[in-house]
Amino acid sequence: MFRIVRVSLFMVVILSIALVASMGLNILTYVRLTAEDPIAALYFEPVSEDVFTVHLVSDDPGVSGTYEILGDQWRIDAEFIKLKPWANIIGMDARYQLVRFEGRYRDVVRQNTAPFRAYELGTGDALDLMNYLAEWNFLVDAEYGSSTYTDIKEDTVYRVYRTQSGIIIRSEPMPDPIGYEPTMLDDIRAWVSGN
C-alpha cells in the first residue's frame, strides 16, 4: 500500500513538472514568435503644403539623417529575411536592411502627377546578409521586401519595428519639452480632442 502511494506521488510530481515545462515552452514560443524590436524613429516638421522635413534616427548605418519629402503620407521599405519558426524559438531573429524612404500621396492621381522624392537608405544590402547565411540556408524561410506606410501627422513620433515577419509602424504623441507645464486650456483641448 505504501509503495502505491509513493509511486502515485512520484507520478504526480513528474506530471506537474511536465505541465509547468509545457506551459513555459508555450510562453517562450509566444514571446519569440511575436518579438518586436524598434529599428527607427522619426518625426515631421512642415515646410509648406505637402512638403516636410523629416528627422530620422536609427542604429542602422547610413539611415539616420534629415530628409525632405513630398506628399501627405510616408513609406519606408526594407529587404527582409524571415527565418523558420523553430529558429525564432531557439533565439534567432529575422534579418532586415532598411533600403528606401519616401513621401507618397493618398490620392493616386496626385501620386502619378505631383512631384515625388525618394531616398536610398543604409550602406549594406540584405542580400549580403543572405550570402552570409548561405551556409545556414536551412534557417531561412523566405526572402522578400517589406514596406509600411501611414499618414503624416505633425506633433507625432513614429517608431518603426522589426517583427519576425516584416516591419510595422506605431505612433505616439510628441513628448512635451522638459519643464513644460500644461495650462488649464491645454488640458481642456486634450480632453476635447480625446488625447
Side-chain angles (χ1 to χ4, degrees), residues 16 19 21 28 39 63 68 73 76 108-109 125 140 154 170 173-174 180:
S16 297
L19 178 64
L28 174 67
I39 59 174
V63 172
E68 184 176 271
Q73 295 183 329
I76 194 162
V108 174
V109 173
D125 187 355
V140 175
E154 299 171 35
R170 290 207 172 89
M174 181 82 71
Y180 171 77

Side-chain angles (χ1 to χ4, degrees), residues 1-189:
M1 179 73 174
F2 182 67
R3 183 175 179 173
I4 293 174
V5 170
R6 229 179 21 189
V7 169
S8 297
L9 184 61
F10 179 73
M11 290 304 291
V12 166
V13 169
I14 293 296
L15 291 174
S16 297
I17 291 171
L19 178 64
V20 168
S22 173
M23 289 172 33
L25 185 58
N26 281 338
I27 291 170
L28 174 67
T29 300
Y30 174 78
V31 167
R32 289 299 306 147
L33 293 177
T34 60
E36 298 177 356
D37 288 322
I39 59 174
L42 58 147
Y43 68 93
F44 296 83
E45 292 178 351
V47 174
S48 62
E49 184 179 349
D50 291 338
V51 179
F52 295 90
T53 298
V54 184
H55 302 277
L56 175 63
V57 177
S58 176
D59 290 336
D60 295 353
V63 172
S64 294
T66 301
Y67 304 93
E68 184 176 271
I69 65 165
L70 309 171
D72 52 13
Q73 295 183 329
W74 64 276
R75 182 172 95 178
I76 194 162
D77 302 336
E79 292 179 348
F80 207 83
I81 299 174
K82 181 179 182 296
L83 301 179
K84 301 215 184 250
W86 60 265
N88 295 142
I89 291 170
I90 64 171
M92 301 178 78
D93 289 318
R95 303 291 182 206
Y96 72 94
Q97 175 67 48
L98 295 175
V99 293
R100 183 177 290 178
F101 178 69
E102 62 191 14
R104 55 175 273 155
Y105 297 90
R106 188 178 309 111
D107 180 51
V108 174
V109 173
R110 287 190 70 207
Q111 181 69 32
N112 291 330
T113 58
F116 175 79
R117 190 167 297 146
Y119 297 93
E120 187 176 353
L121 297 178
T123 57
D125 187 355
L127 297 177
D128 293 341
L129 208 56
M130 190 64 178
N131 292 335
Y132 173 74
L133 291 174
E135 63 189 59
W136 301 94
N137 65 358
F138 63 93
L139 300 173
V140 175
D141 187 22
E143 177 186 349
Y144 51 90
S146 180
S147 179
T148 186
Y149 67 90
T150 191
D151 292 337
I152 295 173
K153 294 180 189 167
E154 299 171 35
D155 299 327
T156 301
V157 175
Y158 297 94
R159 298 195 191 282
V160 181
Y161 291 85
R162 185 246 347 123
T163 69
Q164 297 296 3
S165 59
I167 59 175
I168 62 171
I169 300 170
R170 290 207 172 89
S171 63
E172 59 193 49
M174 181 82 71
D176 292 325
I178 294 174
Y180 171 77
E181 293 292 327
T183 65
M184 186 176 4
L185 186 58
D186 292 332
D187 291 338
I188 292 170
R189 284 186 189 135

